[in-house]
Amino acid sequence: MQFFSTSGVTRRGFMAGTAAATVVFASGASAQAPSGPFKLDALGYANNALEPHIDARTMEIHHGRHHAAYVTNLNNAVKDHSNVAAMPLQDILAKLGEMPEAVRTALRNNGGGHANHTMFWQIMAPGGGAPQGDIAAAITRDLGGLEKLQGDFNAAGLRVFGSGWVFVTAARDGKLALETKPNQDTPLMEGKRVLIGNDVWEHAYYLTYQNRRADYLKAWWSVVNWAKVGERYAAARNGTLTI
Ligand code: MN3
């Protein structure tokens, strides 16, 4: 099962329970503490802050293991390539074709994974809220309003076969667009900027929703941090949004 195979955690270890699993993770984390330019930022809220829409155990594993592994693997990929290690992540992703061939796939998967998840944690918060001001106007202008965006976004998320993401991108002129990507690919790979994105890999929802991806997509809107999305929109338009 994808959920377990991508985490590097055995099913037995996973099923052993919270306390044991925490010890395994803590010792693993210190043994492979990332040395390199890329860091795993702490969540800006508690693991259980997004309940009941996203459960605490999912957040703990998703951030503390899946995302952490992307960071570790990304640091490993750049450790013999100091010129790449010195680049901002968005530039690495926009110039994948120029990256050393030996690590290009690792940069794509783990660099994409790091960028996607860093964005994902940022644009969620308990309580959610509603779009205000410029971002609300842009959603109405370019995506037919919030209700239409949510319907189209959820439908696009359901059409992603296997693992991937649904995004809303923002161009420098402020125009919004909806798109999906497989695996850990990101619109950053085409030099675009991502406003929001939802992770439709099974590890993002399986513990609570199992095969009911549609229910997860619908519930996720309750935890979108619209104040943060508004900040990202302003930054995208003035050219300061990174990942
Ligand atoms: Mn994920």
PDB file of all heavy atoms in Angstrom, residues 62 66-67 70 113 116-117 120-121 165 184 199-201 203-204, ligand 1:
ATOM      1  N   HIS A  62       2.209  12.672   8.386  1.00  0.00           N
ATOM      2  CA  HIS A  62       2.369  13.371   7.104  1.00  0.00           C
ATOM      3  C   HIS A  62       3.479  14.419   7.187  1.00  0.00           C
ATOM      4  O   HIS A  62       4.351  14.488   6.325  1.00  0.00           O
ATOM      5  CB  HIS A  62       1.028  14.021   6.739  1.00  0.00           C
ATOM      6  CG  HIS A  62       0.890  14.411   5.305  1.00  0.00           C
ATOM      7  ND1 HIS A  62      -0.256  14.969   4.810  1.00  0.00           N
ATOM      8  CD2 HIS A  62       1.762  14.353   4.254  1.00  0.00           C
ATOM      9  CE1 HIS A  62      -0.093  15.206   3.522  1.00  0.00           C
ATOM     10  NE2 HIS A  62       1.116  14.858   3.159  1.00  0.00           N
ATOM     11  N   HIS A  66       6.532  11.835   6.273  1.00  0.00           N
ATOM     12  CA  HIS A  66       6.555  11.994   4.811  1.00  0.00           C
ATOM     13  C   HIS A  66       7.323  13.254   4.416  1.00  0.00           C
ATOM     14  O   HIS A  66       8.256  13.194   3.620  1.00  0.00           O
ATOM     15  CB  HIS A  66       5.127  12.058   4.249  1.00  0.00           C
ATOM     16  CG  HIS A  66       4.404  10.758   4.306  1.00  0.00           C
ATOM     17  ND1 HIS A  66       4.470   9.822   3.307  1.00  0.00           N
ATOM     18  CD2 HIS A  66       3.594  10.235   5.252  1.00  0.00           C
ATOM     19  CE1 HIS A  66       3.736   8.771   3.629  1.00  0.00           C
ATOM     20  NE2 HIS A  66       3.181   8.997   4.806  1.00  0.00           N
ATOM     21  N   HIS A  67       6.907  14.396   4.966  1.00  0.00           N
ATOM     22  CA  HIS A  67       7.586  15.642   4.595  1.00  0.00           C
ATOM     23  C   HIS A  67       9.046  15.619   5.058  1.00  0.00           C
ATOM     24  O   HIS A  67       9.952  16.026   4.321  1.00  0.00           O
ATOM     25  CB  HIS A  67       6.830  16.853   5.160  1.00  0.00           C
ATOM     26  CG  HIS A  67       7.349  18.170   4.654  1.00  0.00           C
ATOM     27  ND1 HIS A  67       6.785  19.378   5.002  1.00  0.00           N
ATOM     28  CD2 HIS A  67       8.400  18.487   3.847  1.00  0.00           C
ATOM     29  CE1 HIS A  67       7.471  20.356   4.420  1.00  0.00           C
ATOM     30  NE2 HIS A  67       8.447  19.841   3.713  1.00  0.00           N
ATOM     31  N   TYR A  70      11.177  13.860   2.597  1.00  0.00           N
ATOM     32  CA  TYR A  70      11.488  14.648   1.391  1.00  0.00           C
ATOM     33  C   TYR A  70      12.645  15.609   1.679  1.00  0.00           C
ATOM     34  O   TYR A  70      13.534  15.797   0.838  1.00  0.00           O
ATOM     35  CB  TYR A  70      10.262  15.457   0.928  1.00  0.00           C
ATOM     36  CG  TYR A  70       9.102  14.615   0.434  1.00  0.00           C
ATOM     37  CD1 TYR A  70       7.824  14.777   0.971  1.00  0.00           C
ATOM     38  CD2 TYR A  70       9.271  13.658  -0.564  1.00  0.00           C
ATOM     39  CE1 TYR A  70       6.747  14.014   0.532  1.00  0.00           C
ATOM     40  CE2 TYR A  70       8.207  12.888  -1.012  1.00  0.00           C
ATOM     41  CZ  TYR A  70       6.946  13.075  -0.462  1.00  0.00           C
ATOM     42  OH  TYR A  70       5.891  12.322  -0.897  1.00  0.00           O
ATOM     43  N   GLY A 113       8.280  17.652  -3.469  1.00  0.00           N
ATOM     44  CA  GLY A 113       7.600  17.262  -2.227  1.00  0.00           C
ATOM     45  C   GLY A 113       7.803  18.283  -1.115  1.00  0.00           C
ATOM     46  O   GLY A 113       6.869  18.609  -0.376  1.00  0.00           O
ATOM     47  N   ASN A 116       5.773  21.524  -2.141  1.00  0.00           N
ATOM     48  CA  ASN A 116       4.325  21.309  -2.051  1.00  0.00           C
ATOM     49  C   ASN A 116       3.857  21.258  -0.598  1.00  0.00           C
ATOM     50  O   ASN A 116       2.852  21.871  -0.236  1.00  0.00           O
ATOM     51  CB  ASN A 116       3.938  20.006  -2.760  1.00  0.00           C
ATOM     52  CG  ASN A 116       3.936  20.148  -4.272  1.00  0.00           C
ATOM     53  OD1 ASN A 116       3.811  21.248  -4.803  1.00  0.00           O
ATOM     54  ND2 ASN A 116       4.068  19.024  -4.973  1.00  0.00           N
ATOM     55  N   HIS A 117       4.586  20.517   0.232  1.00  0.00           N
ATOM     56  CA  HIS A 117       4.135  20.367   1.623  1.00  0.00           C
ATOM     57  C   HIS A 117       4.353  21.641   2.441  1.00  0.00           C
ATOM     58  O   HIS A 117       3.540  21.970   3.301  1.00  0.00           O
ATOM     59  CB  HIS A 117       4.801  19.153   2.266  1.00  0.00           C
ATOM     60  CG  HIS A 117       4.267  17.857   1.711  1.00  0.00           C
ATOM     61  ND1 HIS A 117       4.784  17.284   0.581  1.00  0.00           N
ATOM     62  CD2 HIS A 117       3.225  17.080   2.103  1.00  0.00           C
ATOM     63  CE1 HIS A 117       4.084  16.180   0.306  1.00  0.00           C
ATOM     64  NE2 HIS A 117       3.141  16.025   1.213  1.00  0.00           N
ATOM     65  N   PHE A 120       1.457  23.600   1.681  1.00  0.00           N
ATOM     66  CA  PHE A 120       0.238  22.957   2.186  1.00  0.00           C
ATOM     67  C   PHE A 120       0.008  23.279   3.669  1.00  0.00           C
ATOM     68  O   PHE A 120      -1.091  23.659   4.074  1.00  0.00           O
ATOM     69  CB  PHE A 120       0.401  21.453   1.968  1.00  0.00           C
ATOM     70  CG  PHE A 120      -0.799  20.604   2.278  1.00  0.00           C
ATOM     71  CD1 PHE A 120      -2.021  20.829   1.666  1.00  0.00           C
ATOM     72  CD2 PHE A 120      -0.685  19.520   3.154  1.00  0.00           C
ATOM     73  CE1 PHE A 120      -3.118  20.002   1.922  1.00  0.00           C
ATOM     74  CE2 PHE A 120      -1.766  18.700   3.416  1.00  0.00           C
ATOM     75  CZ  PHE A 120      -2.985  18.933   2.806  1.00  0.00           C
ATOM     76  N   TRP A 121       1.050  23.147   4.508  1.00  0.00           N
ATOM     77  CA  TRP A 121       0.876  23.434   5.948  1.00  0.00           C
ATOM     78  C   TRP A 121       0.551  24.903   6.162  1.00  0.00           C
ATOM     79  O   TRP A 121      -0.206  25.251   7.062  1.00  0.00           O
ATOM     80  CB  TRP A 121       2.136  23.066   6.751  1.00  0.00           C
ATOM     81  CG  TRP A 121       2.725  21.726   6.449  1.00  0.00           C
ATOM     82  CD1 TRP A 121       4.037  21.454   6.148  1.00  0.00           C
ATOM     83  CD2 TRP A 121       2.054  20.454   6.431  1.00  0.00           C
ATOM     84  NE1 TRP A 121       4.202  20.113   5.923  1.00  0.00           N
ATOM     85  CE2 TRP A 121       3.017  19.479   6.095  1.00  0.00           C
ATOM     86  CE3 TRP A 121       0.733  20.048   6.658  1.00  0.00           C
ATOM     87  CZ2 TRP A 121       2.702  18.119   5.971  1.00  0.00           C
ATOM     88  CZ3 TRP A 121       0.412  18.697   6.536  1.00  0.00           C
ATOM     89  CH2 TRP A 121       1.382  17.753   6.206  1.00  0.00           C
ATOM     90  N   TRP A 165      -1.590  16.249  -6.875  1.00  0.00           N
ATOM     91  CA  TRP A 165      -2.045  17.481  -6.246  1.00  0.00           C
ATOM     92  C   TRP A 165      -3.007  18.244  -7.150  1.00  0.00           C
ATOM     93  O   TRP A 165      -2.932  18.134  -8.372  1.00  0.00           O
ATOM     94  CB  TRP A 165      -0.838  18.402  -5.973  1.00  0.00           C
ATOM     95  CG  TRP A 165       0.078  17.916  -4.894  1.00  0.00           C
ATOM     96  CD1 TRP A 165       0.998  16.902  -4.986  1.00  0.00           C
ATOM     97  CD2 TRP A 165       0.160  18.414  -3.550  1.00  0.00           C
ATOM     98  NE1 TRP A 165       1.643  16.750  -3.780  1.00  0.00           N
ATOM     99  CE2 TRP A 165       1.154  17.665  -2.888  1.00  0.00           C
ATOM    100  CE3 TRP A 165      -0.503  19.430  -2.855  1.00  0.00           C
ATOM    101  CZ2 TRP A 165       1.498  17.900  -1.557  1.00  0.00           C
ATOM    102  CZ3 TRP A 165      -0.158  19.661  -1.525  1.00  0.00           C
ATOM    103  CH2 TRP A 165       0.828  18.896  -0.895  1.00  0.00           C
ATOM    104  N   GLN A 184       4.818  14.387  -7.028  1.00  0.00           N
ATOM    105  CA  GLN A 184       5.154  15.627  -6.316  1.00  0.00           C
ATOM    106  C   GLN A 184       5.500  16.742  -7.295  1.00  0.00           C
ATOM    107  O   GLN A 184       6.189  17.707  -6.946  1.00  0.00           O
ATOM    108  CB  GLN A 184       6.295  15.401  -5.324  1.00  0.00           C
ATOM    109  CG  GLN A 184       5.946  14.494  -4.175  1.00  0.00           C
ATOM    110  CD  GLN A 184       4.821  15.027  -3.304  1.00  0.00           C
ATOM    111  OE1 GLN A 184       4.402  16.190  -3.425  1.00  0.00           O
ATOM    112  NE2 GLN A 184       4.315  14.202  -2.400  1.00  0.00           N
ATOM    113  N   ASP A 199      -3.299  18.069  -1.306  1.00  0.00           N
ATOM    114  CA  ASP A 199      -2.569  16.821  -1.477  1.00  0.00           C
ATOM    115  C   ASP A 199      -3.585  15.688  -1.578  1.00  0.00           C
ATOM    116  O   ASP A 199      -4.320  15.439  -0.624  1.00  0.00           O
ATOM    117  CB  ASP A 199      -1.661  16.643  -0.239  1.00  0.00           C
ATOM    118  CG  ASP A 199      -0.717  15.460  -0.346  1.00  0.00           C
ATOM    119  OD1 ASP A 199      -0.926  14.595  -1.206  1.00  0.00           O
ATOM    120  OD2 ASP A 199       0.233  15.425   0.472  1.00  0.00           O
ATOM    121  N   VAL A 200      -3.633  15.012  -2.725  1.00  0.00           N
ATOM    122  CA  VAL A 200      -4.569  13.897  -2.850  1.00  0.00           C
ATOM    123  C   VAL A 200      -3.868  12.536  -2.843  1.00  0.00           C
ATOM    124  O   VAL A 200      -4.447  11.537  -3.250  1.00  0.00           O
ATOM    125  CB  VAL A 200      -5.523  14.044  -4.066  1.00  0.00           C
ATOM    126  CG1 VAL A 200      -6.378  15.296  -3.900  1.00  0.00           C
ATOM    127  CG2 VAL A 200      -4.793  14.068  -5.393  1.00  0.00           C
ATOM    128  N   TRP A 201      -2.615  12.498  -2.368  1.00  0.00           N
ATOM    129  CA  TRP A 201      -1.991  11.205  -2.070  1.00  0.00           C
ATOM    130  C   TRP A 201      -2.813  10.555  -0.945  1.00  0.00           C
ATOM    131  O   TRP A 201      -3.294  11.244  -0.037  1.00  0.00           O
ATOM    132  CB  TRP A 201      -0.559  11.393  -1.571  1.00  0.00           C
ATOM    133  CG  TRP A 201       0.463  11.793  -2.593  1.00  0.00           C
ATOM    134  CD1 TRP A 201       0.430  12.893  -3.402  1.00  0.00           C
ATOM    135  CD2 TRP A 201       1.693  11.112  -2.895  1.00  0.00           C
ATOM    136  NE1 TRP A 201       1.565  12.926  -4.185  1.00  0.00           N
ATOM    137  CE2 TRP A 201       2.353  11.853  -3.892  1.00  0.00           C
ATOM    138  CE3 TRP A 201       2.297   9.951  -2.397  1.00  0.00           C
ATOM    139  CZ2 TRP A 201       3.586  11.461  -4.414  1.00  0.00           C
ATOM    140  CZ3 TRP A 201       3.526   9.566  -2.915  1.00  0.00           C
ATOM    141  CH2 TRP A 201       4.161  10.313  -3.917  1.00  0.00           C
ATOM    142  N   HIS A 203      -1.908   9.093   1.644  1.00  0.00           N
ATOM    143  CA  HIS A 203      -1.397   9.340   3.003  1.00  0.00           C
ATOM    144  C   HIS A 203      -1.989  10.619   3.611  1.00  0.00           C
ATOM    145  O   HIS A 203      -1.923  10.811   4.810  1.00  0.00           O
ATOM    146  CB  HIS A 203       0.142   9.368   3.033  1.00  0.00           C
ATOM    147  CG  HIS A 203       0.783  10.478   2.263  1.00  0.00           C
ATOM    148  ND1 HIS A 203       1.817  10.283   1.379  1.00  0.00           N
ATOM    149  CD2 HIS A 203       0.551  11.819   2.256  1.00  0.00           C
ATOM    150  CE1 HIS A 203       2.186  11.445   0.861  1.00  0.00           C
ATOM    151  NE2 HIS A 203       1.434  12.401   1.392  1.00  0.00           N
ATOM    152  N   ALA A 204      -2.545  11.487   2.782  1.00  0.00           N
ATOM    153  CA  ALA A 204      -3.117  12.741   3.284  1.00  0.00           C
ATOM    154  C   ALA A 204      -4.488  12.554   3.925  1.00  0.00           C
ATOM    155  O   ALA A 204      -4.936  13.425   4.678  1.00  0.00           O
ATOM    156  CB  ALA A 204      -3.221  13.757   2.142  1.00  0.00           C
TER     157      ALA A 204
HETATM  158 MN   MN3 B   1       1.781  14.423   1.161  1.00  0.00          MN
END
